[in-house]
Amino acid sequence: PPNLGDSEPVSILNRFGFGPDSASVSRFKELGREQWIEEQLNPSEAIPAHLAARIGRLEIYHLGPWDLRDWKEDAVIAQMQQNAILRATYSPWQLQERMVDFWTNHFNIFTKKGLAVYRKPWDERNVIRRHALGKFPEMITASAKSTAMLLYLDQQNSTAAHPNENY
């Protein structure tokens, strides 16, 4: 790997993403700090074709929760992990990927609890990823309505007489 040094691009790329490579340092230098940060905050382009092709091979992102029921839990988890690694490695939108990682950890759903593993890919796409750079109230509302989160928090056991106040 090239020696990237201790420069401003390297420092910012480490902070805003998952680390620099020579292409991301070049892009940063081409745009300048302010424009690079603006681009990261407003990712307007689709993901690159090579990344879309790799993610497209992950079956869990073409299936809904009910379609995954016959899958082994470990197979679903492995594909979710592959997706995260692919995006952290190849996405030009490093800030978005960093925020997806942050919010996934913040709104943690233990995949080994009940049927949560089968609902988690949908939650990742439609709650976390969709709102990662958005407004917090919109994300919290989406999370509160997510079947994966509701299952994880045992909301099926909540009644008017004994409300579940996990959330």
Side-chain angles (χ1 to χ4, degrees), residues 106-119:
H106 184 76
F107 292 106
N108 183 27
I109 297 171
F110 181 56
T111 57
K112 295 283 188 168
K113 183 175 182 181
L115 299 173
V117 69
Y118 304 113
R119 289 168 173 79

Side-chain angles (χ1 to χ4, degrees), residues 57-93:
R57 288 191 285 260
L58 300 174
E59 294 175 78
I60 62 168
Y61 293 104
H62 303 288
L63 303 172
W66 294 108
D67 300 318
L68 294 172
R69 288 179 307 172
D70 295 330
W71 282 46
K72 292 184 178 185
E73 288 181 4
D74 291 341
V76 176
I77 292 167
Q79 285 201 14
M80 286 189 300
Q81 290 170 335
Q82 287 173 350
N83 178 61
I85 291 168
L86 286 169
R87 288 178 181 273
T89 304
Y90 298 111
S91 177
W93 312 120

Side-chain angles (χ1 to χ4, degrees), residues 41-167:
L41 288 171
N42 299 294
S44 58
E45 297 176 30
I47 60 174
H50 66 90
L51 177 56
R54 287 179 168 134
I55 292 170
R57 288 191 285 260
L58 300 174
E59 294 175 78
I60 62 168
Y61 293 104
H62 303 288
L63 303 172
W66 294 108
D67 300 318
L68 294 172
R69 288 179 307 172
D70 295 330
W71 282 46
K72 292 184 178 185
E73 288 181 4
D74 291 341
V76 176
I77 292 167
Q79 285 201 14
M80 286 189 300
Q81 290 170 335
Q82 287 173 350
N83 178 61
I85 291 168
L86 286 169
R87 288 178 181 273
T89 304
Y90 298 111
S91 177
W93 312 120
Q94 288 291 291
L95 177 59
Q96 182 179 31
E97 298 311 319
R98 183 75 168 235
M99 294 309 297
V100 165
D101 183 60
F102 172 82
W103 290 120
T104 298
N105 287 322
H106 184 76
F107 292 106
N108 183 27
I109 297 171
F110 181 56
T111 57
K112 295 283 188 168
K113 183 175 182 181
L115 299 173
V117 69
Y118 304 113
R119 289 168 173 79
K120 182 70 174 127
W122 184 94
D123 181 84
E124 182 183 301
R125 281 191 313 271
N126 296 292
V127 175
I128 303 298
R129 184 162 294 286
R130 181 171 289 160
H131 299 284
L133 294 174
K135 297 177 181 168
F136 183 73
E138 292 173 10
M139 177 178 282
I140 197 81
T141 299
S143 177
K145 294 177 182 179
S146 164
T147 58
M149 184 62 79
L150 293 171
L151 181 72
Y152 173 64
L153 296 177
D154 299 318
Q155 286 305 109
Q156 70 275 11
N157 298 328
S158 186
T159 64
H162 302 294
N164 181 343
E165 298 176 2
N166 282 339
Y167 207 80

